[in-house]
């Protein structure tokens, strides 16, 4: 059997997510608060010119009643500007965010001293996180965002290689605030804007990879904590003496209480963000569908973008539903752990309270009101389609 290596801290285990959180200024280190404020302000200044140009073009399009162009711009610039809210939110929630990472680091350190059967469960959970919550999510974000610059580069290379009068393509087609429409393709304006928008695309990837991936990792770790203390409860009932059994069960109860506090930290850290993406995603899906069906031509970039948008709201709903299901499943696992073989009344009472508490599902909510689960995901899609049909009419 392959030897399981020691479990490392959060930043060493999930290098991609940690790196994206650091360079995106959402890593919740209270010691770097002042640096984070200055850096976020500098980033906002760096994207102000392109944002201003887009808003000017939106205004001109509104005057001309060109709603397709308005939606085309808002589909891209809305999530881009909204992503900077994550930096502000994490700055506000840096204390609870850091407590989440500290709890994960504390757990990984304690897992190194556990028996091999526990370590295999932890190792499988970490591998799952690395494969799906980290790598697959990063690939999804890169695929959705970098499709725009990659297609623009490919079309420019093809046109300049095989056409005598090549057509230039921008990453995101944007009119100059003055002059003729074709002036945007003149040098060096075109080259400067191309590099500038490529820089914005990189910021896009960074802002959506780190923070959103962090949420998935925290939920999966909560599920891991529940799985481990249910396993520990089974082992506690097989103890050789009453004193040892009581000590082990008390340890399980303490871990159960730590799990509840940990989930409260997740709720406190992410509930505002979940509410924002709930509203923004419905608008985004509606806008993408409208642009694809009512735009000037079928655009592969926006088809990929709408798929990424749906995945972006699906994953929080899926993770939250997983947490809810696992929290209820712990009651069944504890009940099926052969506790009836123990005749000690005090231990039976402890089991009773553990089961009763586990029967209350753990839920992640947006704005502390709307429960995130798969029913909400279906409702979001239905509402988005209703908004789309209203917009078309």
């Amino acid at each position: 059997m392959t030897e399981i290596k020691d479990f490392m801290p959060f930043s060493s285990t999930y290098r991609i997510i940690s790196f994206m959180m650091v360079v995106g200024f959402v890593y919740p280190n209270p010691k770097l608060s002042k640096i984070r404020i200055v850096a976020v302000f500098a980033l906002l200044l760096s994207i102000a010119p392109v944002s201003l140009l887009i808003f000017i073009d939106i205004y001109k399009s509104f005057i001309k009643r060109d709603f397709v162009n308005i939606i085309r711009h808002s589909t891209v610039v809305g999530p881009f500007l909204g992503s900077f809210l994550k930096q502000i939110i994490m700055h506000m929630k840096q204390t609870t965010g850091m407590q989440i990472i500290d709890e994960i680091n504390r757990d990984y350190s304690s897992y190194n001293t556990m028996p091999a059967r526990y370590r295999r469960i932890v190792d499988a959970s970490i591998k799952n996180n690395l494969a799906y919550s980290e790598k697959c999510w990063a690939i999804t974000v890169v695929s959705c965002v970098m499709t725009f610059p990659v297609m623009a580069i490919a079309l420019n290379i093809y046109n300049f290689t095989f056409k005598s009068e090549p057509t230039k393509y921008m990453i995101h087609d944007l009119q100059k605030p003055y002059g003729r429409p074709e002036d945007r393709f003149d040098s060096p304006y075109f080259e400067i804007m191309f590099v500038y928008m490529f820089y914005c695309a990189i910021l896009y990837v960074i802002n959506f990879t780190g923070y959103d991936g962090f949420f998935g990792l925290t939920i999966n770790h909560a599920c891991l904590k529940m799985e481990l203390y249910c396993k520990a409860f089974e082992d506690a009932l097989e103890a050789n003496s009453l004193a040892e059994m009581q000590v082990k069960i008390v340890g399980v109860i303490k871990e159960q209480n730590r799990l509840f506090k940990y989930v409260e930290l997740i709720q406190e850290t992410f509930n505002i963000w979940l509410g924002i993406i709930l509203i923004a995603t419905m608008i985004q899906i509606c806008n993408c569908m409208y642009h694809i069906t009512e735009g000037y031509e079928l655009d592969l970039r926006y088809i990929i973008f709408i798929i990424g948008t749906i995945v972006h709201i699906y994953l929080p709903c899926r993770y939250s539903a997983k947490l809810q299901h696992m929290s209820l499943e712990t009651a069944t696992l504890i009940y099926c752990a052969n506790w009836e073989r123990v005749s000690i009344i005090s231990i039976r009472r402890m089991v009773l309270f553990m089961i009763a508490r586990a029967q209350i599902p753990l839920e992640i909510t947006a704005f502390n009101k709307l429960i995130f689960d798969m029913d909400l995901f279906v409702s979001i899609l239905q509402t988005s389609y209703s908004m789309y049909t209203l917009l078309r009419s």
Side-chain angles (χ1 to χ4, degrees):
M1 185 175 295
T2 305
E3 182 180 356
I4 300 174
K5 297 181 180 179
D6 287 344
F7 305 115
M8 304 297 291
F10 177 87
S11 58
S12 299
T13 304
Y14 307 109
R15 296 180 182 274
I16 296 176
I17 297 297
S18 298
F19 174 76
M20 292 297 186
M21 290 176 69
V22 170
V23 298
F25 302 104
V26 293
Y27 198 91
N29 190 344
K31 297 179 180 179
L32 302 177
S33 295
K34 294 181 179 179
I35 297 176
R36 188 184 302 113
I37 292 173
V38 174
V40 171
F41 183 72
L43 282 177
L44 290 174
L45 285 179
S46 72
I47 57 117
V50 70
S51 302
L52 180 61
L53 291 177
I54 290 176
F55 285 128
I56 291 173
D57 200 31
I58 289 176
Y59 173 75
K60 290 183 176 180
S61 298
F62 179 77
I63 297 298
K64 296 184 293 185
R65 296 295 188 267
D66 184 2
F67 295 109
V68 172
N69 200 46
I70 293 174
I71 289 178
R72 182 179 67 85
H73 283 314
S74 60
T75 298
V76 174
V77 75
F80 176 64
L81 295 179
S83 65
F84 289 93
L85 288 175
K86 299 174 185 178
Q87 297 169 338
I88 299 173
I89 292 172
M90 186 53 82
H91 180 73
M92 296 167 52
K93 304 293 185 179
Q94 59 183 338
T95 300
T96 55
M98 197 66 216
Q99 288 174 350
I100 290 173
I101 293 178
D102 289 341
E103 179 71 7
I104 294 175
N105 289 339
R106 173 259 178 192
D107 288 340
Y108 282 177
S109 177
S110 66
Y111 296 159
N112 288 323
T113 61
M114 287 184 170
R117 59 184 181 276
Y118 289 88
R119 289 163 59 86
R120 284 193 289 269
I121 295 174
V122 177
D123 187 59
S125 176
I126 291 177
K127 288 180 179 178
N128 180 273
N129 280 338
L130 291 171
Y132 295 101
S133 298
E134 186 176 66
K135 294 179 181 178
C136 284
W137 173 241
I139 292 171
T140 300
V141 175
V142 170
S143 300
C144 292
V145 176
M146 300 309 289
T147 300
F148 286 79
V150 168
M151 287 187 65
I153 292 171
L155 289 171
N156 284 326
I157 292 174
Y158 174 82
N159 278 272
F160 278 90
T161 304
F162 298 103
K163 292 186 178 181
S164 57
E165 295 182 2
T167 301
K168 294 181 179 180
Y169 289 87
M170 302 181 76
I171 293 177
H172 177 70
D173 198 11
L174 180 62
Q175 302 284 347
K176 291 181 70 173
Y178 55 87
R180 300 170 302 170
E182 58 271 19
D183 289 346
R184 67 187 187 277
F185 297 115
D186 293 342
S187 297
Y189 180 82
F190 172 79
E191 288 77 10
I192 292 173
M193 288 301 297
F194 198 96
V195 173
Y196 188 19
M197 288 184 179
F198 194 89
Y199 159 75
C200 292
I202 294 174
L203 291 182
Y204 220 125
V205 171
I206 291 172
N207 287 340
F208 274 88
T209 301
Y211 189 90
D212 302 72
F214 180 49
F215 175 76
L217 295 178
T218 61
I219 295 294
N220 284 336
H221 186 72
C223 295
L224 172 64
K225 289 168 75 73
M226 287 185 278
E227 185 177 0
L228 288 177
Y229 72 62
C230 287
K231 182 67 176 175
F233 178 72
E234 292 180 12
D235 292 346
L237 295 178
E238 298 177 358
N240 296 323
S241 65
L242 174 61
E244 182 184 359
M245 184 182 299
Q246 287 179 327
V247 169
K248 288 185 175 181
I249 292 179
V250 168
V252 172
I253 294 174
K254 289 181 178 179
E255 286 302 312
Q256 189 182 36
N257 289 332
R258 289 188 72 97
L259 179 274
F260 298 145
K261 293 179 181 178
Y262 175 77
V263 174
E264 289 176 0
L265 290 174
I266 297 175
Q267 174 65 34
E268 176 64 23
T269 303
F270 292 101
N271 78 90
I272 296 176
W273 168 72
L274 290 173
I276 292 173
I277 67 169
L278 170 63
I279 298 171
T281 300
M282 289 189 292
I283 299 173
Q284 185 73 355
I285 294 174
C286 172
N287 284 350
C288 285
M289 287 192 298
Y290 185 85
H291 180 75
I292 291 171
T293 58
E294 303 296 323
Y296 304 114
E297 59 183 10
L298 191 64
D299 196 328
L300 177 62
R301 297 174 302 175
Y302 287 90
I303 294 175
I304 296 175
F305 203 73
I306 191 175
I307 294 173
T309 302
I310 293 173
V311 172
H312 183 237
I313 193 62
Y314 167 79
L315 288 178
C317 292
R318 179 67 183 86
Y319 286 132
S320 300
K322 178 182 178 182
L323 175 68
Q324 188 181 63
H325 171 76
M326 186 63 194
S327 65
L328 292 174
E329 184 68 13
T330 57
T332 303
L333 293 174
I334 293 172
Y335 182 80
C336 297
N338 296 323
W339 59 270
E340 64 276 3
R341 296 182 306 175
V342 181
S343 59
I344 309 301
I345 299 299
S346 59
I347 292 180
R348 288 196 167 198
R349 287 175 178 171
M350 286 191 286
V351 174
L352 176 64
F353 282 110
M354 290 175 66
I355 294 175
R357 182 61 185 86
Q359 288 176 329
I360 302 174
L362 295 174
E363 297 171 336
I364 302 296
T365 60
F367 296 139
N368 295 322
K369 294 292 183 183
L370 296 172
I371 300 173
F372 259 66
D373 55 17
M374 295 311 297
D375 290 336
L376 180 63
F377 174 70
V378 174
S379 178
I380 290 171
L381 296 183
Q382 291 174 339
T383 304
S384 299
Y385 185 77
S386 298
M387 292 170 60
Y388 162 68
T389 55
L390 180 63
L391 188 62
R392 286 193 64 185
S393 62

